Amino acid sequence: MEIRRNTMRIGKYGVILLMFFAFNPAFSQKVEMVYTTASERWVKAKKFLSKETAANATDIVVYTDSLLQEIDGIGGAFNELGWDALEALPKASSKQVFKDLFSDEGCNFSMCRIPLGASDYALSYYSSNDVPEDFEMRDFNIDRDRYILIPYLEAALEVNPELKIWASPWTPPAWMKVNDHYAMRSGEFGNALDGNKMNPEAQILNNATAFKMQERYLKAYALYFSKFVQAYKKEGIELFSIQPQNEIAYQPNWPSCTWRPEDMGYFISEFLGPQFKADNLDAEIWLGTVNSGDPNYVRTVLKFKDASKYIKGIGFQWGGSKAIPTIHKEYPGIKLMQTENKCGEHENDWTSLESSWNTLVHFLNNGAGSHMYWNMVLDETGKSAWGWPQNSMVVVDRNAKKVTYTDEFYLFKHVSHFVQPGDHYLKSSEGKNHAVFKLKDGRIAVLVNNPKDTQETLNIIINEARFAVNVNPKSISTLLITE
């Protein structure tokens, strides 16, 4: 064994350290690697340790004593069209999909989201109370969910009973909105020639609050959320949190509702928070999903009277990517979530994986402790109810009864198969192509992206041990190091 003394400068901190490395090509600690390329999926590598390291270069330095945010969960979204696709499969094939997504042998997902009422991937418009001016919520019900979303959830919970579920609405009931419509603008919806039937004069094409801000509507909407949490609990499904509005600053022609931050702060502070407290609910209130890149949106809500007293976390959709670094610095004690990665255009290929990788690393490096994919399962068209074909982890060909797992499925498996709630993100040297975690059992998980078309050798330093690994061209790899 050769003892090598290295002097090096660590990233932006400008600290000069004298370090002694025990250089051994075989590396005495146990190292395992699993890798994925576009043509090879989830392969356990046999020969990947390099006999040579670059003498004056270090690619990844891991600081094992510098724990960053705790991981709360990783997963995706349940939607009606996903269940509809799975229902086309034989039972054995459908069960295998759930095993691949939720078992500890598969993706091992630990946290997922559901819509509260219709999303753009619902079969049609609906809410849990479509009776106008039912302010007492006498006719509130989750009857539709009992036939679609709840069986979808139950199949997942059968595989992983510890799965955490949170919910967000795309829109309040239409009668609670100023334009009396589920959407914000007119346009195509599904295959209907007359689109979503909205009068163009009812469109709201800015970020003005589309909710009727009268007290009776605000009280009713807070009660609506409370009843939803309680109704799901009666079905045996505990919701760990709700986020009051999906994509809070967006005006599409599918279910949606914009809120000014002052109005959202008012709603949470004076109605939603007190309602949850009065009903003694365990479900947390998170601000989200925030798709504004301006950090002032979040600041304004958190500064509104008692809103911050009730808000336990902030969910940023990918559209809020520019805001999360500032909010993480200004509010270091609040939990953060990435609620939805980019949807794609039904490419379902390596370019989609690369996009999701960039989102994953950006949010992890800025304090997010949970990370959500969008639709876990879609049919062969990938189309939403209004016609937009998007990506999914699992593609079900309804006619051929065939299941295909996309590249993004394996990207998320490379993280969530190993990284579970209670694990921690670890500080490491700067770079956009790696992410490091410390697992509860003491192992270190190093996730590596090689975007190049050539094999790369990476030098890795963990404590005083230095070793090198070869990673395949255009690949995602997970290294597990047992110290």
Side-chain angles (χ1 to χ4, degrees):
M1 177 181 290
E2 173 191 353
I3 303 297
R4 175 176 296 167
R5 178 173 176 173
N6 264 11
T7 302
M8 67 179 193
R9 184 173 297 272
I10 307 296
K12 66 179 180 181
Y13 300 97
V15 178
I16 302 297
L17 298 179
L18 294 177
M19 303 185 70
F20 293 86
F21 301 111
F23 177 69
N24 183 346
F27 189 60
S28 60
Q29 294 166 303
K30 184 179 179 182
V31 184
E32 302 170 82
M33 177 193 275
V34 179
Y35 71 87
T36 291
T37 68
S39 59
E40 295 182 285
R41 276 36 184 315
W42 200 252
V43 178
K44 294 183 179 180
K46 295 180 179 179
K47 296 181 180 181
F48 58 90
L49 288 173
S50 175
K51 294 183 179 181
E52 297 182 2
T53 62
N56 297 314
T58 300
D59 295 294
I60 301 173
V61 182
V62 178
Y63 305 96
T64 58
D65 292 331
S66 295
L67 298 181
L68 300 178
Q69 71 268 24
E70 183 175 343
I71 300 302
D72 298 310
I74 299 167
F78 294 90
N79 272 320
E80 288 189 339
L81 287 175
W83 179 248
D84 188 57
L86 287 164
E87 284 286 86
L89 292 174
K91 286 187 178 180
S93 298
S94 179
K95 283 186 175 182
Q96 186 61 49
V97 171
F98 282 99
K99 182 178 179 181
D100 292 335
L101 287 171
F102 299 104
S103 76
D104 55 10
E105 299 171 1
C107 282
N108 205 12
F109 282 163
S110 52
M111 180 188 290
C112 288
R113 73 182 292 190
I114 61 170
L116 201 168
S119 73
D120 48 323
Y121 272 84
L123 292 163
S124 61
Y125 289 136
Y126 80 101
S127 79
S128 288
N129 190 347
D130 286 322
V131 179
E133 299 195 353
D134 180 15
F135 297 110
E136 295 180 357
M137 290 291 127
R138 184 189 64 183
D139 292 301
F140 178 94
N141 69 83
I142 57 167
D143 292 347
R144 175 162 167 163
D145 290 4
R146 289 191 179 98
Y147 291 96
I148 307 175
L149 277 181
I150 289 175
Y152 196 178
L153 283 167
E154 287 175 338
L157 289 165
E158 184 177 345
V159 178
N160 180 8
E162 303 301 316
L163 183 67
K164 294 196 290 186
I165 308 295
W166 62 277
S168 64
W170 268 239
T171 179
W175 57 272
M176 293 186 178
K177 291 175 64 180
V178 296
N179 65 352
D180 295 312
H181 200 284
Y182 285 98
M184 295 289 287
R185 64 179 173 88
S186 62
E188 288 289 331
F189 190 90
N191 296 317
L193 295 177
D194 52 356
N196 58 18
K197 297 183 179 180
M198 178 190 286
N199 185 330
E201 294 181 357
Q203 295 183 118
I204 303 174
L205 302 179
N206 54 40
N207 286 329
T209 299
F211 189 85
K212 294 177 181 177
M213 292 299 295
Q214 298 170 18
E215 186 167 315
R216 58 180 180 163
Y217 288 96
L218 292 161
K219 283 183 177 179
Y221 199 33
L223 182 59
Y224 179 88
F225 279 106
S226 178
K227 282 185 170 289
F228 187 85
V229 172
Q230 294 179 67
Y232 263 73
K233 186 174 183 177
K234 287 180 181 178
E235 297 296 321
I237 299 171
E238 296 267 2
L239 299 178
F240 96 86
S241 76
I242 61 96
Q243 298 188 25
Q245 177 58 52
N246 178 71
E247 296 183 1
I248 211 160
Y250 190 30
Q251 315 88 32
N253 60 342
W254 61 84
S256 50
C257 184
T258 48
W259 290 74
R260 293 172 65 249
E262 296 86 353
D263 291 336
M264 178 54 71
Y266 178 57
F267 174 59
I268 293 172
S269 173
E270 304 302 307
F271 300 93
L272 187 60
Q275 182 74 55
F276 273 38
K277 183 179 180 180
D279 293 338
N280 198 29
L281 301 184
D282 293 327
E284 297 177 353
I285 297 170
W286 285 46
L287 172 61
T289 68
V290 179
N291 62 316
S292 171
D294 184 353
N296 280 323
Y297 193 102
V298 173
R299 290 187 186 121
T300 302
V301 176
L302 292 179
K303 290 177 181 177
F304 191 95
K305 202 176 177 182
D306 293 328
S308 62
K309 180 172 71 175
Y310 297 110
I311 294 170
K312 304 303 181 184
I314 304 169
F316 288 92
Q317 190 243 24
W318 63 266
S321 296
K322 292 182 179 179
I324 191 173
T326 300
I327 297 303
H328 179 48
K329 290 176 184 177
E330 294 181 359
Y331 300 90
I334 198 163
K335 286 183 174 290
L336 303 174
M337 175 191 294
Q338 191 283 122
T339 64
E340 176 190 336
N341 68 320
K342 291 184 179 180
C343 308
E345 302 281 348
H346 197 53
E347 306 91 350
N348 286 324
D349 60 13
W350 201 262
T351 64
S352 304
L353 178 149
E354 290 171 336
S355 176
S356 288
W357 169 269
N358 291 334
T359 301
L360 173 71
V361 172
H362 174 76
F363 277 85
L364 285 170
N365 285 339
N366 288 286
S370 43
H371 199 91
M372 304 292 111
Y373 189 80
W374 180 213
N375 280 295
M376 293 181 289
V377 182
L378 290 176
D379 68 17
E380 70 281 0
T381 71
K383 287 184 178 181
S384 67
W386 66 282
W388 181 5
Q390 298 178 9
N391 292 338
S392 61
M393 294 180 174
V394 181
V395 177
V396 174
D397 188 320
R398 293 169 298 178
N399 298 316
K401 312 298 182 186
K402 179 184 175 183
V403 176
T404 301
Y405 296 88
T406 67
D407 295 325
E408 287 181 288
F409 169 90
Y410 289 97
L411 168 61
F412 272 71
K413 185 175 180 180
H414 270 279
V415 187
S416 59
H417 178 82
F418 305 103
V419 180
Q420 289 290 298
D423 296 335
H424 283 81
Y425 196 52
L426 266 182
K427 179 182 172 183
S428 61
S429 51
E430 293 184 353
K432 296 181 179 180
N433 287 311
H434 69 272
V436 185
F437 306 85
K438 187 165 188 177
L439 311 185
K440 293 185 291 292
D441 61 12
R443 291 181 299 169
I444 305 298
V446 182
L447 188 65
V448 176
N449 171 42
N450 179 15
K452 298 180 180 179
D453 293 324
T454 55
Q455 176 180 287
E456 294 294 305
T457 299
L458 297 178
N459 301 327
I460 300 175
I461 294 176
I462 298 179
N463 296 328
E464 294 185 351
R466 175 178 180 146
F467 65 101
V469 296
N470 295 321
V471 292
N472 289 293
K474 286 277 185 183
S475 66
I476 297 291
S477 303
T478 302
L479 292 164
L480 283 178
I481 298 102
T482 305
E483 295 188 273

